[in-house]
Amino acid sequence: MKKIEGFSKLTKQQKIDWLCETYFSDDKQAHSYFEKYHNADENLQKLHDEFIENAISNYYLPFAIAPNFVINGKTYTVPMVIEESSVVAAASRAAKFWESRGGFKAEVISTEKNGQVHFMFYGEKTDLECFFTKIKPKMLADAQVITANMEKRGGGITDIRLVDKTSELANYYQLFATFETLDAMGANFINSCLESFSQTFRQEAVNFPEIDENYEIVMSILSNYVPECLVRVEVSCPTERLAVANLDGKEFAEKFVRAIAIANAEVRRATTHNKGIMNGIDSVILATGNDFRAVEAGVHAYAARSGKYQSLTQAFVEDDVFHFKIEVPLAVGTVGGLTNLHPLVKTALQILEKPSAKELMQIAATVGLAQNFAAVSSLITLGIQRGHMKMHLMNILNQLGANDAQKQYITEYFKDKTLTYRDVSAVLESVRHLN
């Protein structure tokens, strides 16, 4: 029977025992699947266990480095955490390419974040507007206990306004609040402020019958759509300096621009195009302990802001100069959360020379642009699979159980050949005698 009561109250070992007995009863090695990733440092393991509920083991991803990213004249070595083959190699290749062509130019356009108190109101709109005008100062005053420290550093609540959303949903209104959270991502800060606003609303509504009898607060929550927390990165160079593989510079630029145009015209291509960009961005977000799900949600919403899902990057040629740029919303932090707890997050931020949140926005967006440049370059020249499968070769060999000598032989064998899983398997079978 798979159902279990009180699972959360079991010890870690009891949870593992139950899983092994329930799902791996014929596998004598089952316990090792969970236990071999247990950290030998008990304090560190306890720290990891307390990140989430019902933790039974650790799940490791590769922590990699992409060097030589020149951003605004400064050279960065960028930590990347991702499991997909070729992502780090592609980013590094693009970084090297643009290092000798002026590097990446990055600019944070704005850093404002937002959240809403969502509520229904069934009375007269003019009464609600009058009520909001009267209680807004008290909302701000009541939130002072939350905002005091943030304000000392130069952040805090930047505005609260009443928004009529009844055209989208009958009787639906918002208290739309904006925030500056500096080097913190600020989710907890924003949510605490919003809940304070809703509490003040309730407390004050009892003095206004026309309000108290006609409203329902539904929820108070930040938004991960942050189009006012925006960063832009671009590269440019004369088209003559773009000669790649089988194309001269002008041909490469023209074909590259057309590829971006296709991503703007076709949503199926745009989805994969932007996924490649997020390979780069997410890897930096993960390495630095930020919330990649929040970033993903906000970025993809931004890609559809026109009403049609399109490319996050733009490319054009003007006066024989190739221009390639990206503009994305990125709400990130370099203080708070895992940045103060996870040892490898601290390490990643140290490698980046302890960046501010603005600087981290620039770095993450740059890696996204670099990733996209590398991917599109491959697609319009030699094709994506040749390079991707070469990077995937080691995964195939590990799956097939090749030893070191066999890996070395097969890697050399496929150096100038297109490979498939079947081909690798066949060659491996022919050299099984190597040891």
Side-chain angles (χ1 to χ4, degrees), residues 124-237:
E124 294 295 326
K125 180 180 176 181
T126 52
D127 290 338
L128 180 61
E129 290 172 332
C130 182
F131 174 69
F132 172 71
T133 299
K134 290 178 179 177
I135 70 168
K136 179 177 177 180
K138 192 168 193 318
M139 283 183 171
L140 294 170
D142 288 350
Q144 270 286 305
V145 65
I146 302 167
T147 63
N149 287 336
M150 186 70 76
E151 288 175 358
K152 287 177 184 177
R153 300 194 297 271
I157 303 162
T158 56
D159 195 16
I160 315 171
R161 55 191 173 89
L162 177 67
V163 177
D164 182 345
K165 302 289 287 185
T166 56
S167 61
E168 283 84 17
L169 178 65
N171 309 116
Y172 170 38
Y173 290 83
Q174 295 177 358
L175 298 181
F176 188 100
T178 52
F179 305 85
E180 174 56 63
T181 62
L182 306 171
D183 286 334
M185 188 275 174
N188 289 330
F189 170 77
I190 292 172
N191 286 334
S192 295
C193 289
L194 293 170
E195 290 183 3
S196 173
F197 300 157
S198 64
Q199 184 177 358
T200 302
F201 188 109
R202 291 187 181 98
Q203 290 171 346
E204 294 301 309
V206 297
N207 300 316
F208 296 82
E210 67 276 17
I211 303 297
D212 196 35
E213 298 170 2
N214 289 299
Y215 83 94
E216 175 198 356
I217 291 180
V218 180
M219 56 187 166
S220 306
I221 184 70
L222 88 164
S223 174
N224 292 127
Y225 183 46
V226 285
E228 298 81 25
C229 189
L230 207 59
V231 58
R232 180 187 298 133
V233 182
E234 57 186 313
V235 288
S236 63
C237 74

Side-chain angles (χ1 to χ4, degrees), residues 275-426:
K275 183 269 181 184
I277 292 169
M278 297 314 295
N279 279 343
I281 291 176
D282 278 348
S283 67
V284 178
I285 298 301
L286 270 168
T288 56
N290 278 277
D291 186 345
F292 72 93
R293 289 89 52 203
V295 167
E296 283 268 359
V299 166
H300 292 302
Y302 190 74
R305 67 193 182 282
S306 68
K308 177 183 177 182
Y309 187 84
Q310 295 179 297
S311 167
L312 291 163
T313 53
Q314 301 173 41
F316 61 93
V317 175
E318 188 174 82
D319 297 329
D320 290 326
V321 175
F322 171 77
H323 298 266
F324 184 46
K325 63 182 179 179
I326 188 171
E327 190 175 280
V328 284
L330 293 178
V332 298
T334 55
V335 299
L338 287 186
T339 62
N340 296 329
L341 292 174
H342 199 295
L344 274 179
V345 169
K346 292 181 181 180
T347 301
L349 293 172
Q350 182 67 39
I351 292 169
L352 290 173
E353 301 179 68
K354 299 182 179 179
S356 64
K358 285 185 177 181
E359 197 173 3
L360 184 57
M361 288 170 69
Q362 295 175 340
I363 294 165
T366 294
V367 177
L369 185 68
Q371 196 68 35
N372 193 227
F373 180 80
V376 175
S377 297
S378 294
L379 284 167
I380 66 174
T381 53
L382 301 175
I384 203 76
Q385 272 308 90
R386 182 174 178 180
H388 182 78
M389 288 303 290
K390 290 225 184 281
M391 294 302 301
H392 193 52
L393 176 58
M394 198 56 61
N395 289 344
I396 296 174
L397 291 172
N398 284 329
Q399 288 174 26
L400 294 172
N403 63 33
D404 289 344
Q406 292 160 356
K407 289 176 182 177
Q408 184 176 355
Y409 176 86
I410 292 174
T411 299
E412 185 63 28
Y413 177 86
F414 282 103
K415 192 173 182 179
D416 57 354
K417 298 178 181 64
T418 299
L419 63 89
T420 65
Y421 185 96
R422 185 175 65 179
D423 292 339
V424 174
S425 181

